[in-house]
């Protein structure tokens, strides 16, 4: 599904020009910032959700360094850097507090942002997001790469095509993937105390056939004080944000327009 942005542009943040687009209308609720998955775009991650989410609130889609319309740069790519970019975008748009909805890499970025700048996050929704390296099933990083939990050939094709449609350098997809590996698999883990200190109401959503173990999601739920956990049936990691029929009622309840 392709969505139409109300406005789109580039924000100068921390030495890069970060692409963002705005949907929906101003309302009583804080703006909702969407943070896509690794090697994905706003549309690929959130196309199934965006029209409904933007029906009665301001929604801001972001494309992180080296993703979508946002060119890569020589600077470090880390969760800390990506999270600081998101906070800098809020500054650029003159937004004091926002709701964050992150998927996979975007969820890791959102989780890092709420720890680094808790005063800027109103509510936090994390799709297919872990906080420790052992949160993933061991088979996800196994050399044979045969797990049914892993992205399919069709999943990879969709990512390559989405990237090629909008990237400043459509040939750089492989380089982006290589740069993402240490970000997704070598990040500094969150401590128990950091998770316990998250004051923002938090929604955790994983698929029942996710990269992430249900036990790990339950562990996060047990530590984050104002959190709730949903496990989507018959859903892989790659499919989580596309399950609009399951996700939208959950998100509508968690992100009330008057919040």
């Amino acid at each position: 599904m392709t969505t139409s942005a109300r406005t789109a542009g580039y924000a100068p943040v921390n030495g890069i020009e970060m692409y963002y687009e705005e949907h929906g209308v101003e309302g009583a609720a804080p703006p909702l910032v969407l943070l896509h998955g690794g090697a994905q775009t706003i549309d690929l991650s959130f196309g199934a959700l965006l029209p409904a989410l933007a029906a009665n609130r301001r929604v801001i889609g972001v494309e992180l360094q080296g993703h979508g319309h946002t060119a890569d740069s020589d600077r470090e790519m880390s969760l800390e850097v990506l999270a600081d970019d998101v906070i800098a975008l809020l500054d650029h748009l003159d937004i004091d507090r926002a709701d964050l909805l992150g998927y996979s890499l975007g969820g890791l970025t959102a989780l890092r942002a709420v720890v680094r700048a808790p005063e800027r996050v109103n509510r936090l929704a994390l799709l297919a997001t872990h906080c420790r390296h052992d949160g993933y099933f061991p088979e996800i990083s196994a050399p044979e790469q045969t797990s049914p939990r892993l992205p399919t050939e069709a999943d990879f094709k969709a990512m390559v095509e989405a990237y090629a449609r909008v990237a400043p350098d459509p040939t750089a997809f492989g380089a982006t993937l290589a740069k993402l590996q240490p970000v997704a698999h070598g990040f500094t883990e969150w401590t128990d105390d950091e998770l316990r200190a998250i004051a923002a109401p938090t929604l955790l959503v994983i698929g029942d056939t996710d990269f992430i173990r249900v036990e790990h999601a339950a562990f996060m739920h047990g530590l984050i004080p104002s959190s709730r956990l949903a496990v989507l049936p018959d859903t892989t990691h790659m499919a989580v944000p596309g399950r609009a029929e399951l996700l939208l009622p959950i998100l509508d309840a968690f992100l009330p327009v008057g919040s």
Side-chain angles (χ1 to χ4, degrees), residues 66 72 163 167-178:
D72 199 1
Y163 184 87
D169 179 3
T171 69
F173 182 79
T176 297
L177 274 185

Side-chain angles (χ1 to χ4, degrees), residues 158-170:
M159 288 190 288
V160 171
E161 290 177 349
Y163 184 87
R165 278 194 294 271
V166 300
D169 179 3

Side-chain angles (χ1 to χ4, degrees), residues 92-221:
H92 176 77
L93 296 175
D94 198 25
I95 295 171
D96 290 331
R97 288 170 63 85
D99 295 334
L100 302 184
L101 170 56
Y103 160 57
S104 195
L105 174 69
L108 293 170
T109 301
L111 188 55
R112 189 64 80 204
V114 77
V115 170
R116 291 172 79 80
E119 74 283 357
R120 308 301 296 274
V121 180
N122 182 58
R123 288 176 178 260
L124 181 69
L126 305 176
L127 309 183
T129 302
H130 59 311
C131 69
R132 304 277 170 81
H133 300 304
D134 66 1
Y136 273 8
F137 284 92
E139 66 202 70
I140 298 305
S141 56
E144 57 271 17
Q145 295 287 283
T146 57
S147 172
R149 299 177 184 277
L150 289 164
T152 65
E153 186 175 326
D155 291 328
F156 274 114
K157 184 174 184 288
M159 288 190 288
V160 171
E161 290 177 349
Y163 184 87
R165 278 194 294 271
V166 300
D169 179 3
T171 69
F173 182 79
T176 297
L177 274 185
K179 201 167 182 178
L180 283 174
Q181 290 306 307
V183 180
H185 298 287
F187 60 80
T188 300
E189 297 179 340
W190 284 264
T191 67
D192 288 4
D193 286 344
E194 285 176 324
L195 296 178
R196 290 191 187 102
I198 295 173
T202 301
L203 172 66
L204 306 167
V205 181
I206 65 166
D208 64 351
T209 319
D210 211 309
F211 296 174
I212 297 161
R213 297 181 296 108
V214 173
E215 297 86 350
H216 181 74
F219 163 76
M220 293 178 66
H221 173 49

Side-chain angles (χ1 to χ4, degrees), residues 66-109:
H67 288 77
H69 298 76
T70 303
D72 199 1
S73 80
D74 293 334
R75 67 175 198 166
E76 176 190 18
M77 187 185 288
S78 68
L79 294 182
E80 291 76 17
V81 168
L82 298 179
D84 288 347
D85 288 347
V86 174
I87 300 304
L89 176 67
L90 297 183
D91 292 338
H92 176 77
L93 296 175
D94 198 25
I95 295 171
D96 290 331
R97 288 170 63 85
D99 295 334
L100 302 184
L101 170 56
Y103 160 57
S104 195
L105 174 69
L108 293 170
T109 301

